[in-house]
Amino acid sequence: MTLSDGLVTLRPWSRDDVRFMAEASADPAIRRYNGSHDRLGHPTPPLSTTDAEGVIDQFGLNWRAFAATGTPSGVAFAILDTRSGELVGCCGVDDWSNEDVARFGYWIAPDARGRGYATRAVILLTRWLFDMGAARVFLTIVAGNEASVAVARRAGFVHEGTMRAHSVWQGKRCDVMWFAALPLEWAMRQPDEGSHNARQGVASAGDRGAF
Ligand SMILES: CC(C)(COP(=O)(O)OP(=O)(O)OC[C@H]1O[C@@H](n2cnc3c(N)ncnc32)[C@H](O)[C@@H]1OP(=O)(O)O)[C@@H](O)C(=O)NCCC(=O)NCCS
């Protein structure tokens, strides 16, 4: 399964990607916002290459389960720059409920941030989920993670509310924001509109012209 808008490509993870995943797992922001924590909000150690291999193998099993059941819970894509083939990040479906609500997450390696990969990946993933019949697609963002809030907004997600004290980090409670998109109101439903809107968003958001 490969998704692309011509600039960003999403494809399943491969065993060749272990080093990239292990290195990314040591990034402080990825540990903070994507890694697992204990009940006091202390992060687990970064992944070793053996751990990363286990994560990638599990993604492979989830893809196989998806092929058998049609439910993409736990499937994850590596995000690549289409032109160079460089690995830049990850996005994946955390859960698909039995009422067809999909929840997803993402990260971009520190060197590749600020170039629009996350926004493009979220648009591609969301379109794919709607094409499969998702009735609602959502993500949660720890309040204060402004880079991620900007991605959700650029990708056409609506802030629906904030759950106070829903999470914990290093012993302190923190608020968690909900962002969602519904298929009939999502502005980037069609591929043409999506790439058009994404490009417009770039120009108005900083005009870096990285692509
Ligand atoms: C959150 C995170 C994924 C955002 O990554 P990002 O690279 O900043 O996000 P984008 O892909 O939207 O890039 C946007 C930037 O690229 C710029 N850009 C350049 N070319 C672009 C293009 N062709 N298309 C879109 N944006 C482009 C935009 O102007 C924008 O810059 P700005 O923020 O200065 O306005 C990243 O910071 C991260 O991995 N953080 C740690 C983990 C995390 O928080 N995960 C999310 C948990 S909810």
Side-chain angles (χ1 to χ4, degrees):
M1 169 61 58
T2 299
L3 308 173
S4 182
D5 64 2
L7 294 172
V8 164
T9 296
L10 309 188
R11 60 128 170 95
W13 285 85
S14 131
R15 276 252 181 142
D16 296 339
D17 307 330
V18 286
R19 184 176 294 276
F20 171 77
M21 178 182 278
E23 281 175 12
S25 76
D27 171 65
I30 292 174
R31 285 184 85 193
R32 165 76 178 92
Y33 296 119
N34 300 90
S36 38
H37 309 145
D38 67 16
R39 60 191 300 271
L40 292 177
H42 298 298
T44 48
L47 303 177
S48 64
T49 48
T50 310
D51 296 334
E53 224 167 72
V55 171
I56 288 172
D57 288 351
Q58 183 59 52
F59 288 157
L61 293 174
N62 297 343
W63 277 109
R64 251 176 274 157
F66 167 54
T69 63
T71 300
S73 278
V75 304
F77 293 95
I79 307 172
L80 288 83
D81 179 287
T82 303
R83 207 165 34 190
S84 68
E86 177 201 4
L87 275 166
V88 298
C90 175
C91 63
V93 185
D94 299 326
D95 184 48
W96 178 292
S97 79
N98 58 12
E99 292 172 331
D100 296 326
V101 173
R103 173 185 178 155
F104 70 96
Y106 48 82
W107 52 260
I108 297 290
D111 293 353
R113 290 179 193 151
R115 291 192 255 158
Y117 296 126
T119 301
R120 287 178 176 279
V122 168
I123 291 169
L124 283 166
L125 180 64
T126 302
R127 192 176 293 132
W128 182 65
L129 291 166
F130 284 149
D131 287 348
M132 280 193 300
R136 167 182 166 84
V137 174
F138 79 101
L139 76 154
T140 61
I141 302 177
V142 175
N145 185 358
E146 296 305 334
S148 190
V149 167
V151 170
R153 292 197 195 283
R154 271 195 285 266
F157 280 66
V158 175
H159 178 217
E160 294 182 327
T162 298
M163 300 178 290
R164 294 170 301 156
H166 188 73
S167 171
V168 62
W169 176 248
Q170 313 272 24
K172 272 194 175 165
R173 304 302 310 180
C174 33
D175 298 344
V176 175
M177 304 166 78
W178 285 71
F179 281 86
L182 304 184
L184 292 179
E185 68 180 28
W186 190 52
M188 289 142 184
R189 186 79 176 87
Q190 300 304 321
D192 286 351
E193 290 169 45
S195 51
H196 177 65
N197 287 348
R199 266 184 233 116
Q200 279 192 329
V202 175
S204 59
D207 202 16
R208 294 191 187 173
F211 290 113

